[in-house]
Amino acid sequence: LIMHSNTMMKPPHLARIKNLFHQTLAQAKSLYHILRGPFPEDITPDHILSLLEYEPSGRDLERRIESGIRQEFQGTTRKNLEQALRQKAQDYQTELGKDTVVSIGFRDLHDPHFSFSINTDHIGWAASIIKIPVMIEVYKKAQQGALRLEDKLEVTHRHPLEPFDAVTLMNPGTQVPIQKLLQYMIVDSDNEATNMLIERVGLDSINQTLQELGATRTMLGHLLTYYVPRNHSPFNPDGSNVTTAQDMAHLLHLIYTQRIVHPKACKDMMHLLETPSTNCLGLFLPYGTRVGNKIGSIHDLINGDDLHDVGVINRDYALSIMINRITQQPLAHPQQCARALANPHLRFQLYQELQQLHHLFSRHHRQGNSPFEFRIQITPRLAFPDYGPAMFIGKISKAVYDIYYEGTR
C-alpha cells in the first residue's frame, strides 16, 4: 500500500487525498487486527508495509551457517586440521578461478609445535596487509630515537590513491601526528597516510627489517599509488608489494609474543590491530571474540581480484588467509535464488503458502468493502549468502576457532 503526494496540488485535491488516505489507513488497521491482533495506537503505515516483507532472524542464519561449517569440517581435529584446510583451500580455488591461490598461515602463540602453512611457496600481491610491516618499522624507528610518535607530518598530497581517504580529504599543509597517521593506516586503511609514513621511515629500511625478522618473502616494492618508482628483487621481479600467508602469520606472532622492537611498542601495535574495523576473520566467530587484524583487497579486472585477512584471535593464535587472483565469482544472488526455486518441492510449498495469503486478502476485501486492492509481489533474495571469498575466509576462521577451542567437532 503506497501513496504518492504532489506538493503542488491545490488544497481541495489535497484534502480529498488526505481523506482517502485516512479511510485507507482505517482499512489497513482493520487488516492489521485480523493478521496480528489489537492495533497499537502509535502504529504507522510503514509498520503495516513492513509486514509484507519477511527476513529470517539473525540467530536462524547463524545456525544455518554454523551447521554448514560443521558439516564441511566434520571429523576434523587438531591432528588433521592442516590436511582438512589444504583440501578446503583446493575446493575454494576451484570455485574462484583456475588461477586462484588460497594460502593459509597458522601459528599458535602458546605452543610452538602447533603451526602450519598451506601453499607456502605462493608469493602474492599483498594489498593493504603490507601496512603491518610499515607499522613495525615506524615503531622501530621510534624506539631507536629516529622519530617520535608525537612528531607531526605535513599533508602535501604528493602521493594520494583513493579520493575518499581521510588524509586525502584534508587541506594541504595540515599537520598530523605520526601516532594519528598510524591509526589512519591500520584502522581506516588510509593509503595516503601509509605513503607519508613510508617516506618518513624509508622504503629500504622497511625491507631490511623484514629480512632481519625472517619475513624473507615479503617486500614493499613501491608506494601505494600510481606512477612511482619500483624496487625489484629475485623473488619480486616486477617490484610489486608482495608477501606470503606464512610471513604474515610470523610477523603477527612476533608482535603478539612481544619479540620485536619493545614490549610497549608491541602492546601499542596490538591495540591498533584490535581497534574495531572491517574484517572477514570474525564474520562467524562468537560475539565478544577479540580479533586483531588487517584486511587487504585489490580489484583488478585483468589479473583477478585479491582479498586477504590476517590477524590474531583472542591473543591465542595467528591466522592469515590470502586469496589471490580471483577470476570468477560463484553464483550471484539471482542465480542462486533461481536455482533454489527450481526445486519442485519448494515451489509447491511456496504455492500453498501464497494461496492461503491470497484467500485471506480476498476474504477481507469482500467482507470489509475495502476502497483499495492488494498487489503482492515476492522478490527472492539471499538473506545471508554462503559464497564468495569473504565468506570462505570467514568459514575457515570459524572452523579453526572451533577446533582450536573444542579440539574436535
Side-chain angles (χ1 to χ4, degrees), residues 44 82 185 203 257 275 355 363:
T44 68
E82 179 181 354
M185 177 178 70
L203 188 147
T257 54
T275 301
Q355 194 175 44
R363 184 171 63 254

Side-chain angles (χ1 to χ4, degrees), residues 52-214:
L52 301 180
E53 181 174 353
Y54 165 76
E55 291 186 5
S57 71
R59 186 55 193 150
D60 289 341
L61 295 172
E62 289 177 9
R63 290 193 186 100
R64 183 172 68 83
I65 293 293
E66 289 176 1
S67 175
I69 296 173
R70 192 172 296 276
Q71 185 175 0
E72 284 189 47
F73 290 88
Q74 186 174 8
T76 304
T77 65
R78 285 196 177 205
K79 290 183 178 180
N80 63 2
L81 176 60
E82 179 181 354
Q83 179 183 355
L85 291 180
R86 193 175 300 279
Q87 180 59 53
K88 191 54 61 179
Q90 184 63 46
D91 294 342
Y92 291 162
Q93 287 174 175
T94 302
E95 292 190 46
L96 295 174
K98 63 182 181 64
D99 296 323
T100 302
V101 179
V102 177
S103 50
I104 303 172
F106 175 86
R107 294 288 298 270
D108 191 328
L109 272 59
H110 312 294
D111 182 0
H113 302 293
F114 188 26
S115 65
F116 58 82
S117 59
I118 296 170
N119 285 328
T120 308
D121 298 332
H122 174 68
I123 300 174
W125 285 356
S128 285
I129 61 177
I130 199 67
K131 294 167 182 175
I132 291 178
V134 179
M135 174 182 66
I136 292 173
E137 187 64 21
V138 170
Y139 277 101
K140 178 183 176 182
K141 285 288 193 288
Q143 178 64 24
Q144 294 173 343
L147 59 82
R148 296 181 307 163
L149 298 180
E150 299 79 19
D151 292 344
K152 295 182 179 180
L153 302 183
E154 182 180 350
V155 176
T156 62
H157 298 317
R158 291 177 58 235
H159 300 297
L161 180 61
E162 305 287 358
F164 50 77
D165 282 339
V167 173
T168 303
L169 294 173
M170 294 180 182
N171 293 325
T174 302
Q175 301 288 325
V176 186
I178 289 177
Q179 182 66 64
K180 187 65 176 178
L181 290 172
L182 283 166
Q183 180 179 337
Y184 282 133
M185 177 178 70
I186 298 299
V187 180
D188 302 325
S189 208
D190 191 299
N191 296 292
E192 187 167 356
T194 305
N195 291 332
M196 292 170 66
L197 292 172
I198 293 173
E199 289 192 307
R200 178 63 182 84
V201 300
L203 188 147
D204 291 336
S205 294
I206 295 171
N207 288 324
Q208 181 179 346
T209 296
L210 285 169
Q211 295 298 311
E212 293 171 353
L213 294 176

Side-chain angles (χ1 to χ4, degrees), residues 5 29 61 120 146 161 174 187 201 207 231 235 250 256 264 315 320 337 359 391-392 395 403 405:
S5 63
K29 287 184 177 182
L61 295 172
T120 308
L161 180 61
T174 302
V187 180
V201 300
N207 288 324
N231 289 359
F235 69 86
H250 172 65
Y256 273 78
K264 173 62 167 63
R315 301 191 175 184
S320 60
C337 289
H359 291 330
M391 296 297 159
F392 292 163
K395 290 199 287 187
I403 292 165
Y405 291 110

Side-chain angles (χ1 to χ4, degrees), residues 298-401:
I298 295 175
H299 181 58
D300 189 326
L301 295 175
I302 298 175
N303 299 290
D305 297 342
D306 303 294
L307 179 65
H308 320 312
D309 201 357
V310 300
V312 173
I313 308 302
N314 286 334
R315 301 191 175 184
D316 286 328
Y317 61 86
L319 178 63
S320 60
I321 304 174
M322 295 176 58
I323 307 181
N324 289 106
R325 299 199 295 269
I326 304 166
T327 54
Q328 67 185 38
Q329 294 283 356
L331 290 178
H333 292 206
Q335 294 170 302
Q336 282 205 343
C337 289
R339 186 174 65 180
L341 291 175
N343 184 321
H345 176 73
L346 177 60
R347 286 205 310 271
F348 180 69
Q349 189 176 18
L350 283 175
Y351 175 79
Q352 288 184 313
E353 298 284 350
L354 293 176
Q355 194 175 44
Q356 292 180 16
L357 187 61
H358 180 273
H359 291 330
L360 172 65
F361 283 135
S362 177
R363 184 171 63 254
H364 173 72
H365 188 77
R366 292 193 304 270
Q367 295 176 352
N369 192 26
S370 300
F372 59 93
E373 66 178 14
F374 291 104
R375 181 170 298 170
I376 303 172
Q377 178 178 352
I378 292 183
T379 303
R381 63 184 176 86
L382 293 180
F384 206 94
D386 56 355
Y387 72 94
M391 296 297 159
F392 292 163
I393 292 176
K395 290 199 287 187
I396 290 174
S397 176
K398 181 63 164 66
V400 172
Y401 177 95

Side-chain angles (χ1 to χ4, degrees), residues 29-50:
K29 287 184 177 182
S30 176
L31 172 63
Y32 185 96
H33 179 79
I34 292 175
L35 293 176
R36 296 289 294 272
F39 193 92
E41 290 300 322
D42 59 348
I43 202 73
T44 68
D46 288 337
H47 292 142
I48 300 168
L49 292 173
S50 69

